[in-house]
Amino acid sequence: MSDMAAGNGTIGLTIDGRAVEVPPGATIWEAAREVGIDIPVLCHDPRLPPVGVCRVCLVDTGEKKLTASCMREAAEGMDVRTRSDRIDAARKGLVELLLSDYPTACTGAKTRDDELLALAREYGAVAMAGIPAGNGRPIDSSSPVIRVDHQACILCDRCIRACDDVQVNNVIGRTGKGYETRIGFDLDDPMGASTCVSCGECEKVCPTGALTLVDQSQAAGAGTAAGVGSSLMAGTGTRSALKQVDSVCPYCGVGCALTYWVDEASNRVVCADGRESVVNEERLCVKGRYGFDYAYHPQRLTVPLIRKETAYPKGPLSPEVEESDRRRRKPGGLVDYDDVLPHFREASWEEAIELAGRRLREIKDRNGPAAMAGFGSAKCSNEEAYLFQKLIRAGFGTNNIDHCTRLCHASSVAALLETIGSGAVTNVFGDVKNADVALIIGSNTTENHPVAATFMKQAAKSGRTKLIVVEPRHIEMADHAEVFLRIRPGTDVAMYNAWMHVLIEEDLIDHDFIADRTEGFAALEELVAAYPPEVAAEICGIDADEIRRAARLFGGADAAMVFWGMGIAQSTHGTDNARCLISLMLMTGNVGRPGTGLHPLRGQNNVQGASDAGLIPIVYPDYQKVGDPEVRAKFEAAWDTELDPEAGLTVVEIMDGALKGEILGMYMMGENPFLSDPNVNKVRKALANLEFLVVQDIFLTETAEFADVILPATTHLEKTGTYTNSDRRVQVGRKTLNPPGQAREDWRIVCDLSTALGYPMSYESPADVFAEFTSLAPSYGGLTHDNLGLTGKLWPCPDLESDGTQVLFGDRFPTPSGRGRFVPAEYTPAKESPDDEYPFILNTGRLLEHWHTGTMTRRARALHAIQPEPRVEIHPADMDRLGLVDGAWVRVESRRGSIALTAESSERVNQGSVFIPFHFREAAANVLTLDALDPYGKIPGFKFCAVRVSAAADS
Ligand code: SF4
């Protein structure tokens, strides 16, 4: 009832004899729902304004004609009847007309009740005789996830509006005339060949059998859902027989709330729906909606494995071994189990844990805690992250603990801590609707944070919010922007210094905010004076007038938000980039109010929570510094052991340590540095150089190939735990499926291994672990599994009756002075620039359908079907110059290595730049990337290195 709250007072009416009061503007249909009366309707989506197409919601208001209740506003004193012989006859007639041309059997998997057939049953309607039936409208099976039966379409337009107004994808429309009218995709293309992004919103809202699901239960070789699931997929079962589990999506930092529908007999998820939640308002993207069947992929690890004595040798690689290893890692998709598994033998849990604990303890006793390290995972829950870092700190005795945030937002966090004293986002992404201007910078949001992007696109579509998009590639969000600046990669600092130059020059700054809430402005003012737009234009390739236009639009906003992603953070200048964005927001007073804020969009589902829980080498949980004696004393008391006072090593430093023989023993929970870290060839040598490696994962990853012990863990579907999304919202993910074989929940494995190491850990449940974590992390104070409920809470949450704190830092920043600090940054060129030998700039990133190293998404049937292989995007002019054609097999080489993959001619990239997604083992982009680090955030510059491209001789 979003429109209902607008007016004053209430309207009183009677529906079927029941009195109801509603706000002015409410429709009869909405008023009826208030008193639990469901009026049938086929065309209405309560999230959108009504359109009154189907007329099935007819009611009697005592007037001459029946009226459509979804359209008609409730009026004072109205007396409404929702059922009568007259109404029923009208509804029956409407349904019979629709049925007359309806297929006799559903052709796809209808995972919701067919609302039309349900109405037919209720009103005794049958297909009307004498109406032409079956005009041969086609079935479209071109999409891997949605089947379109045009014959079953009643033209209610719900799918069109869901596509246009909810997800703002603008793919579906109407085509044809008269009886030939039907829905069409783009220019009446087959759905699978259109620009459809397979978000499934259309299938979700379709009230008939027109848009149905392609059966997702048949993961490659995994078998089909049995019992209720299979009958539902055959279109004959009902959803009510399935188990319903409310959980959260395991992929990106948006953290969409969803419901899994589970066939318990086969231990399979049949389908997933977005749930009602402020986070996603029932929306999902293709990964959340269809990417769940990896959990029962036949390659799941189901039993502990121990490396055989005779296996692939450890230690520095000889040239011969290196060559055979290189050939073994030939192109061809996922890890070849047949190639790798013979080097391991199955073991009992007792033997595997005993061996892992004993060998790691031996290394620690012999070489000291500094020879030990651990990588946790931002895929795991807060509870698992907390326990893992506790094991590394209290059990190993070192702060050499890190995780993939290092490869993602470490530079953003470094800049945020330095300037405003907190690494947290200051406002939620949904508040973009209250911003006059939203900057979207270095973030391909529609592919990396797809549901957050729908809120941004909606805000732009409403006319309320102007988007300024800055990005080297022509991404989809650019089409929704008021201003799109196609920046030369690696030149952000010059550009934003020029924006600040313009804001100061044209007095578009907030003097009061600067005076009352900040410090260090004079130094910033002095530095940016040297960056007039004309100077920046030479560096960043954007016309000076365009720089001025963007700065003025931003400076003229009363409320502005900034969202940034890997394009800003994954740079050897990442901290400087983020410093500039923070300065921009501080000088314009755009922090601490609704519609304002700093929001580095977090990558993984729990990258915020994993950092909060202490998977960082310089801080304990809740960013409490390991170097602070008082803080350390608190954790020593809580964990009953002495702790290392020195900050630990970061991800890349740990790999360097392994290469030098300084790090000897490692424990990895859910990380796959072989693909995720820069300069893969170096990582490979580092992993091979470890004396003992324990890998805990759900699949045999590229990193697990180097393990001495592999421990089979559980997917997020098989355990309960909390996850903290990009907004700081803590939500409970609930156990949905039983784990396969002997796979165990990660928190139990960590406890067992810690005990075997000599630091006993024991908990009853994840809720127990969460209670210990929150007792040590003030920001999470008071939160429990129980009070998080179905939709979670934002931390901090001082009032547990509330939803938590949406906007942070309204009065002061958590810095010693309470003020935000300007930290000026000079532009410096990239560490490795293109030259004659390596003339292209390589940019790496994600695809919509895949996630990080592809461990899960490449094993999800639908996601793999949509994006099965890697491609390099090359500008058409460069393709011509190199004599390449679309689909050609090309070799991309940097100073660190080379990969071969197919070329895609694309104007999304600039001339002189290429783009490669980093999900694919067979063409691992990180073979090419540079491992030079940002000096503050210690993050590698994944987004920029020099490469050359040539036609590949072999494939
Ligand atoms: Fe999952 Fe992110 Fe997609 Fe939401 S937007 S469904 S959290 S991958």
Side-chain angles (χ1 to χ4, degrees):
M1 278 204 206
S2 54
D3 296 331
M4 288 170 53
N8 297 318
T10 56
I11 304 288
L13 68 160
T14 307
I15 303 180
D16 291 343
R18 294 162 74 174
V20 55
E21 301 250 325
V22 291
T27 64
I28 296 172
W29 191 85
E30 290 171 323
R33 293 234 300 188
E34 286 290 293
V35 284
I37 298 170
D38 273 332
I39 301 175
V41 67
L42 292 171
C43 66
H44 184 44
D45 182 335
R47 295 172 298 175
L48 297 171
V51 288
V53 171
C54 74
R55 315 309 277 186
V56 170
C57 67
L58 292 168
V59 293
D60 191 345
T61 54
E63 294 160 356
K64 194 170 162 194
K65 285 187 187 166
L66 300 178
T67 187
S69 63
C70 75
M71 299 291 292
R72 182 74 179 270
E73 282 188 13
E76 186 64 37
M78 203 177 234
D79 185 10
V80 181
R81 294 184 71 192
T82 67
R83 292 298 292 261
S84 68
D85 289 348
R86 183 180 172 214
I87 296 168
D88 287 3
R91 285 186 188 153
K92 182 180 175 194
L94 288 164
V95 173
E96 288 191 333
L97 274 171
L98 293 171
L99 279 180
S100 66
D101 196 20
Y102 204 69
T104 47
C106 176
T107 55
K110 188 71 194 164
T111 57
R112 287 165 197 82
D113 287 343
D114 184 315
E115 294 173 41
L116 179 62
L117 295 184
L119 275 179
R121 285 193 295 274
E122 185 176 350
Y123 289 90
V126 292
M128 205 171 265
I131 304 273
N135 69 349
R137 282 187 288 188
I139 289 172
D140 176 357
S141 307
S142 60
S143 158
V145 290
I146 296 168
R147 186 172 168 86
V148 189
D149 184 346
H150 288 285
Q151 196 68 19
C153 174
I154 58 169
L155 296 175
C156 68
D157 285 355
R158 263 166 84 166
C159 61
I160 296 174
R161 298 195 312 135
C163 186
D164 286 3
D165 299 337
V166 177
Q167 294 266 355
V168 201
N169 288 325
N170 307 324
V171 177
I172 315 180
R174 281 194 183 200
T175 184
K177 284 175 76 176
Y179 198 55
E180 299 298 320
T181 307
R182 57 191 168 92
I183 59 166
F185 301 89
D186 289 342
L187 298 174
D188 206 11
D189 296 319
M191 188 182 206
S194 72
T195 56
C196 167
V197 292
S198 306
C199 68
E201 196 72 39
C202 57
E203 184 268 333
K204 172 179 176 264
V205 299
C206 175
T208 73
L211 296 166
T212 52
L213 202 62
V214 173
D215 186 351
Q216 300 305 307
S217 66
Q218 297 181 40
T224 311
V228 183
S230 61
S231 59
L232 197 67
M233 282 300 161
T236 55
T238 73
R239 210 176 227 227
S240 55
L242 299 176
K243 183 173 80 167
Q244 182 181 345
V245 183
D246 293 324
S247 192
V248 290
C249 174
Y251 289 110
C252 86
V254 176
C256 291
L258 48 65
T259 298
Y260 291 114
W261 296 87
V262 182
D263 178 3
E264 287 183 278
S266 60
N267 197 36
R268 295 280 187 273
V269 173
V270 176
C271 57
D273 279 341
R275 268 196 291 133
E276 180 53 53
S277 155
V278 67
V279 174
N280 53 313
E281 295 182 0
E282 302 179 32
R283 306 164 202 189
L284 292 175
C285 79
V286 62
K287 292 189 288 293
R289 181 113 41 207
Y290 304 113
F292 46 74
D293 52 342
Y294 69 90
Y296 28 90
H297 191 281
Q299 288 187 331
R300 276 293 299 277
L301 292 170
T302 58
V303 64
L305 299 170
I306 292 178
R307 177 178 293 277
K308 290 180 185 168
E309 292 293 322
T310 54
Y312 179 71
K314 304 284 289 182
L317 302 181
S318 68
E320 297 75 36
V321 170
E322 200 164 328
E323 175 54 21
S324 86
D325 176 68
R326 191 191 67 73
R327 277 192 271 107
R328 193 160 67 82
R329 292 168 199 288
K330 59 189 180 296
L334 300 163
V335 173
D336 185 342
Y337 277 47
D338 291 340
D339 203 10
V340 177
L341 281 180
H343 297 295
F344 291 85
R345 65 174 173 84
E346 294 189 356
S348 67
W349 270 105
E350 290 70 27
E351 185 190 8
I353 291 284
E354 190 280 328
L355 176 66
R358 178 164 49 81
R359 290 296 309 278
L360 290 171
R361 194 174 61 240
E362 281 169 8
I363 295 171
K364 178 190 161 188
D365 292 345
R366 190 185 66 223
N367 296 82
M372 315 295 289
F375 285 172
S377 169
K379 275 259 151 290
C380 289
S381 66
N382 290 323
E383 292 79 359
E384 291 156 352
Y386 171 77
L387 284 186
F388 190 80
Q389 61 86 41
K390 181 176 171 182
L391 178 150
I392 302 297
R393 292 191 154 111
F396 281 7
T398 175
N399 289 309
N400 291 339
I401 167 75
D402 210 351
H403 74 297
C404 66
T405 195
R406 183 69 46 203
L407 310 173
C408 158
H409 267 304
S411 50
S412 309
V413 171
L416 287 163
L417 286 171
E418 170 188 51
T419 53
I420 63 168
S422 165
V425 299
T426 71
N427 195 359
V428 303
F429 54 76
D431 206 33
V432 66
K433 64 177 180 292
N434 293 314
D436 301 315
V437 168
L439 306 180
I440 301 170
I441 298 179
S443 161
N444 186 2
T445 329
T446 55
E447 299 207 36
N448 295 339
H449 299 88
V451 169
T454 65
F455 291 98
M456 297 171 190
K457 291 188 286 185
Q458 269 188 327
K461 188 173 180 176
S462 75
R464 166 77 171 86
T465 308
K466 304 259 184 295
L467 305 185
I468 302 177
V469 174
V470 185
E471 172 71 32
R473 293 166 76 214
H474 189 119
I475 54 173
E476 190 216 325
M477 193 62 88
D479 298 335
H480 302 262
E482 181 80 7
V483 176
F484 170 45
L485 303 178
R486 199 163 181 174
I487 191 172
R488 190 174 288 148
T491 63
D492 301 82
V493 168
M495 160 97 102
Y496 301 115
N497 280 345
W499 282 33
M500 290 189 270
H501 179 104
V502 173
L503 293 172
I504 293 169
E505 189 177 67
E506 303 192 8
D507 198 18
L508 293 169
I509 56 179
D510 186 335
H511 294 279
D512 289 344
F513 193 92
I514 292 169
D516 300 342
R517 302 281 315 272
T518 68
E519 57 197 17
F521 184 65
L524 180 89
E525 196 173 11
E526 191 182 333
L527 182 133
V528 300
Y531 287 87
E534 288 70 19
V535 169
E538 291 293 315
I539 300 169
C540 62
I542 307 284
D543 191 73
D545 287 343
E546 277 295 284
I547 293 175
R548 282 203 173 80
R549 183 172 157 236
R552 285 173 189 148
L553 179 62
F554 170 72
D558 284 335
M561 292 183 79
V562 60
F563 301 94
W564 74 89
M566 296 302 94
I568 285 292
Q570 284 183 334
S571 159
T572 50
H573 306 125
T575 306
D576 280 344
N577 293 343
R579 284 169 174 159
C580 288
L581 298 181
I582 296 163
S583 291
L584 260 178
M585 302 305 276
L586 290 178
M587 69 160 54
T588 50
N590 275 309
V591 183
R593 293 179 288 123
T596 70
L598 299 154
H599 196 125
L601 286 154
R602 308 291 168 157
Q604 296 267 21
N605 60 330
N606 199 37
V607 75
Q608 178 69 53
S611 302
D612 298 342
L615 286 184
I616 299 181
I618 56 170
V619 288
Y620 298 121
D622 209 6
Y623 308 96
Q624 299 171 80
K625 293 195 172 78
V626 297
D628 182 329
E630 246 180 70
V631 168
R632 195 166 58 253
K634 169 178 147 180
F635 282 92
E636 286 180 340
W639 295 344
D640 195 21
T641 189
E642 215 173 293
L643 297 173
D644 183 358
E646 299 300 321
L649 301 175
T650 61
V651 163
V652 177
E653 290 170 337
I654 288 170
M655 282 296 129
D656 280 345
L659 201 56
K660 288 186 215 151
E662 292 166 3
I663 299 287
L664 299 170
M666 273 199 81
Y667 179 18
M668 293 196 198
M669 178 176 75
E671 286 276 273
N672 188 12
F674 187 92
L675 280 194
S676 62
D677 285 15
N679 197 349
V680 160
N681 285 329
K682 190 169 145 186
V683 173
R684 177 167 57 86
K685 288 178 186 164
L687 290 171
N689 213 27
L690 287 168
E691 186 179 322
F692 199 78
L693 171 63
V694 178
V695 170
Q696 178 173 319
D697 218 314
I698 57 174
F699 292 108
L700 190 61
T701 63
E702 293 75 5
T703 301
E705 291 183 60
F706 294 86
D708 295 275
V709 173
I710 300 174
L711 304 174
T714 36
T715 68
H716 104 295
L717 284 156
E718 295 148 2
K719 59 194 174 190
T720 292
T722 59
Y723 302 85
T724 307
N725 81 348
S726 193
D727 281 345
R728 295 176 271 107
R729 181 171 295 276
V730 189
Q731 304 181 89
V732 181
R734 293 177 178 82
K735 182 174 175 181
T736 305
L737 300 174
N738 294 319
Q742 297 176 35
R744 274 194 196 167
E745 292 154 294
D746 292 77
W747 69 273
R748 289 188 198 276
I749 305 174
V750 174
C751 286
D752 288 350
L753 185 52
S754 188
T755 302
L757 260 173
Y759 183 75
M761 276 201 224
S762 165
Y763 298 85
E764 288 292 313
S765 67
D768 230 20
V769 181
F770 190 67
E772 180 176 309
F773 162 52
T774 57
S775 73
L776 293 165
S779 298
Y780 280 67
L783 300 181
T784 66
H785 276 214
D786 283 344
N787 67 23
L788 289 173
L790 281 182
T791 50
K793 289 184 190 298
L794 296 164
W795 71 253
C797 188
D799 171 10
L800 290 170
E801 295 301 309
S802 76
D803 189 45
T805 312
Q806 178 178 312
V807 178
L808 294 180
F809 316 137
D811 302 320
R812 72 185 305 278
F813 293 104
T815 55
S817 65
R819 291 168 173 266
R821 194 173 142 220
F822 290 101
V823 179
E826 285 280 11
Y827 165 75
T828 51
K831 294 270 189 277
E832 183 185 72
S833 295
D835 54 20
D836 289 347
E837 208 182 342
Y838 295 94
F840 286 92
I841 296 170
L842 168 67
N843 181 7
T844 66
R846 304 186 193 108
L847 300 173
L848 169 65
E849 294 81 5
H850 286 298
W851 194 253
H852 283 214
T853 60
T855 310
M856 291 153 64
T857 52
R858 295 194 73 193
R859 292 178 172 95
R861 192 200 64 80
L863 305 179
H864 173 70
I866 301 170
Q867 284 289 2
E869 60 178 27
R871 292 187 299 271
V872 50
E873 290 178 10
I874 306 175
H875 192 276
D878 289 328
M879 295 278 286
D880 286 348
R881 204 166 42 77
L882 295 168
L884 300 172
V885 293
D886 211 21
W889 192 248
V890 296
R891 184 157 293 283
V892 184
E893 296 167 274
S894 76
R895 289 183 174 85
R896 291 152 294 281
S898 108
I899 59 174
L901 68 175
T902 50
E904 177 184 351
S905 179
S906 170
E907 292 193 352
R908 273 183 301 231
V909 289
N910 273 326
Q911 253 182 284
S913 292
V914 297
F915 173 83
I916 301 177
F918 70 94
H919 316 292
F920 298 92
R921 172 185 195 255
E922 60 271 39
N926 283 329
V927 166
L928 309 169
T929 49
L930 186 64
D931 56 349
L933 300 182
D934 171 88
Y936 308 97
K938 306 281 178 76
I939 190 171
F942 288 111
K943 293 283 182 183
F944 196 110
C945 73
V947 295
R948 63 179 170 228
V949 181
S950 57
D954 55 335
S955 64

